Amino acid sequence: MRTQVAIIGAGPAGLTLSHLLARHGIDSVVLEHRDRDYVERRVRAGVLEQGTADLLRASGVGARMDREGLVHHGIELRFSHQRHRIPLSDLTGGRTVMIYGQQEVVKDLIQTRLAAGGQILFGAEALALDGLTSAAPVVRYQQNGERRELRCDVVAGCDGFHGVSRAAIPAGVLTVYDHEYPFAWLGILAAVPPSTGELIYAHSERGFALHSLRSPEISRLYLQCRPDEELANWPDARIWDELRRRFATDDGWTLADGPILEKGITPMRGFVAEPMRYGRLLLAGDAAHIVPPTGAKGLNLAVGDARVLAEALIAWYRSGSADLLDAYSATCLRRVWRAQHFAWWMTTMLHIQERESDIERRLRLAQLDYVASSTAAATTLAENYVGLTSI
Ligand code: APR
Ligand code: PHB
């Protein structure tokens, strides 16, 4: 089989790329290891930057998002038992975020691609990439127990952190930055109306907690835990009890609980591999970088990479100019490092460390107090949260 762009991975990065390319008549085949049901059900992030929502809308996959997604104009910071609203829209000239689950974005993209005759091969695991420095790369993959080849002009490695693409780059080519944060998030999806209209990022002496949502009936909540924490130690009642303590305020705010539909533990890591290109292989999304989830940037970076890559490939096919492709890695990395810093800043400001000094604790509270009381500091948070337009 042959195509123009072989895309490995049907996550937000791979699917957005395939969709944008198709709109410009460029052919791609997406190889996805898992089955369709699995990728459509996997519960992940849920905050779309204004620019991400705009891109989906402008490219014709925003209709259900606009019907079912929730537009938010602010978030709450909660610490020292007090509530502080960060008015995102007021601070950013009217920009907003959209609350819409990543798996809903994935569903919409899959449906749109298949309806347009696009090829997504589910249950197709890429095993090896060959000829990456030639003009005719080959992806070797396996589907239904059979080994096959996909020949192409370029390979887009959109196969997430554990995929084969980054691993196919010879040793010594990449510079890797990797930081494992000394905590994780225990996340739940619960069948209970959210106790808040806007997301709450809470810092308490017991650690961080986040109240997010998916719909008027479904809440998504997280609490900071140890990286080696076991789910078995967290029966539902303990989770709700711990969340209640971390969200407690002086004004008697209450957290409603309900049946927990899903639970999981996510380790927190900051990772960047650069450059995001090796010959005819271009990495996008989690394959090249991971951010801790505190800044809600992972999905937005994946879609952002896909947009930059699509533009570069469209220009290359149309005019033969490789200028944008040559700039791809640097263009993306500038935004990736901004997001990496923002995620690190939010994470250190909101989490507690196991052995921290009194001065570290007080510095963190001083930082939170500054963000909650200074328009300049709050604007820094707000413009990064809704997505910078200049980077
Ligand atoms: N062959 C084919 N597909 C593969 C292979 C392989 N060898 N290895 C991994 N995949 C698939 C995975 O099954 C997954 O569906 O690649 C896909 C990668 O998708 P994501 O992990 O969603 O990565 P990405 O598209 O970069 O989106 C990043 O996901 O982890 C979150 O916070 C992150 O929101 C961000 C987003
Ligand atoms: C989520 O809704 O899953 C979510 C929201 C905000 C974050 C991370 C995750 O920072």
Side-chain angles (χ1 to χ4, degrees):
M1 191 168 39
R2 201 195 131 72
T3 186
Q4 288 177 297
V5 182
I7 300 176
I8 308 178
L15 291 167
T16 303
L17 178 63
S18 173
H19 170 63
L20 296 176
L21 291 176
R23 286 171 57 83
H24 287 82
I26 298 169
D27 195 41
S28 66
V29 172
V30 180
L31 302 177
E32 169 54 53
H33 183 187
R34 305 289 193 152
D35 62 33
R36 181 174 176 182
D37 198 51
Y38 180 91
V39 298
E40 291 190 345
R41 275 173 198 263
R42 191 166 38 183
V43 178
R44 310 283 263 300
V47 178
L48 310 189
E49 292 175 357
Q50 167 96 46
T52 304
D54 287 347
L55 175 80
L56 296 174
R57 207 174 278 129
S59 67
V61 278
R64 194 165 69 92
M65 172 189 78
D66 279 331
R67 277 198 312 277
E68 298 176 16
L70 308 167
V71 175
H72 279 203
H73 299 274
I75 57 169
E76 185 183 319
L77 274 190
R78 194 173 278 197
F79 60 94
S80 305
H81 307 286
Q82 304 287 320
R83 315 156 58 155
H84 307 270
R85 181 167 191 264
I86 307 292
L88 299 174
S89 300
D90 294 349
L91 295 168
T92 58
R95 294 170 73 75
T96 60
V97 290
M98 174 76 79
I99 310 302
Y100 191 60
Q102 176 169 319
Q103 80 271 32
E104 306 305 327
V105 175
V106 163
K107 273 185 215 163
D108 296 345
L109 285 163
I110 289 175
Q111 197 190 33
T112 304
R113 280 308 293 132
L114 295 180
Q119 287 207 72
I120 306 172
L121 307 185
F122 290 101
E125 182 187 10
L127 303 171
L129 315 183
D130 290 330
L132 293 173
T133 51
S134 77
V138 179
V139 180
R140 297 182 201 287
Y141 68 99
Q142 176 169 286
Q143 193 182 24
N144 302 326
E146 272 180 51
R147 301 221 163 194
R148 300 185 182 164
E149 284 183 8
L150 176 58
R151 282 170 286 113
C152 57
D153 300 327
V154 289
V155 181
C158 306
D159 46 354
F161 186 67
H162 300 287
V164 290
S165 302
R166 194 179 66 251
I169 299 176
V173 171
L174 295 178
T175 303
V176 167
Y177 301 85
D178 194 6
H179 175 58
E180 273 186 55
Y181 287 78
F183 25 75
W185 279 12
L186 193 166
I188 61 165
L189 193 69
V192 58
S195 299
T196 178
E198 296 183 335
L199 271 67
I200 306 171
Y201 287 81
H203 165 72
S204 82
E205 326 72 76
R206 302 179 66 87
F208 169 75
L210 170 62
H211 193 331
S212 180
L213 44 141
R214 284 294 178 275
S215 73
E217 296 83 34
I218 303 284
S219 300
R220 177 101 173 120
L221 296 107
Y222 300 91
L223 54 88
Q224 173 185 357
C225 64
R226 296 156 55 102
D228 57 357
E229 193 68 67
E230 300 206 8
L231 268 185
N233 296 331
W234 287 88
D236 296 6
R238 181 179 174 204
I239 295 176
W240 288 115
D241 181 55
E242 187 61 34
L243 286 167
R244 271 204 187 89
R245 290 169 183 236
R246 296 192 191 184
F247 285 117
T249 61
D250 289 338
D251 64 3
W253 182 90
T254 54
L255 176 67
D257 60 28
I260 294 183
L261 308 172
E262 277 211 37
K263 282 186 214 184
I265 292 184
T266 321
M268 289 177 70
R269 132 178 267 144
F271 177 92
V272 182
E274 49 179 68
M276 289 168 58
R277 174 181 184 180
Y278 173 68
R280 294 265 178 127
L281 168 65
L282 297 120
L283 302 178
D286 278 14
H289 42 74
I290 301 275
V291 283
T294 328
K297 289 290 158 231
L299 164 63
N300 296 291
L301 287 178
V303 172
D305 289 350
R307 177 213 315 246
V308 176
L309 184 50
E311 282 167 7
L313 289 169
I314 291 162
W316 185 59
Y317 277 113
R318 187 182 296 148
S319 70
S321 164
D323 290 355
L324 291 180
L325 268 185
D326 291 343
Y328 169 72
S329 176
T331 305
C332 291
L333 284 168
R334 187 160 173 241
R335 202 183 49 255
V336 166
W337 278 110
R338 175 87 298 279
Q340 196 68 251
H341 177 270
F342 177 64
W344 166 84
W345 178 70
M346 288 284 279
T347 301
T348 45
M349 181 168 71
L350 289 161
H351 290 68
I352 57 167
Q353 306 265 2
E354 217 162 82
R355 269 179 295 279
E356 64 183 4
S357 62
D358 287 346
I359 190 165
E360 285 170 316
R361 190 169 53 80
R362 293 303 297 264
L363 286 170
R364 196 174 45 236
L365 289 170
Q367 175 69 44
L368 281 163
D369 187 31
Y370 180 45
V371 174
S373 57
S374 149
T375 303
T379 303
T380 291
L381 193 161
E383 68 171 0
N384 279 278
Y385 198 84
V386 301
L388 286 158
T389 44
S390 55
I391 293 184

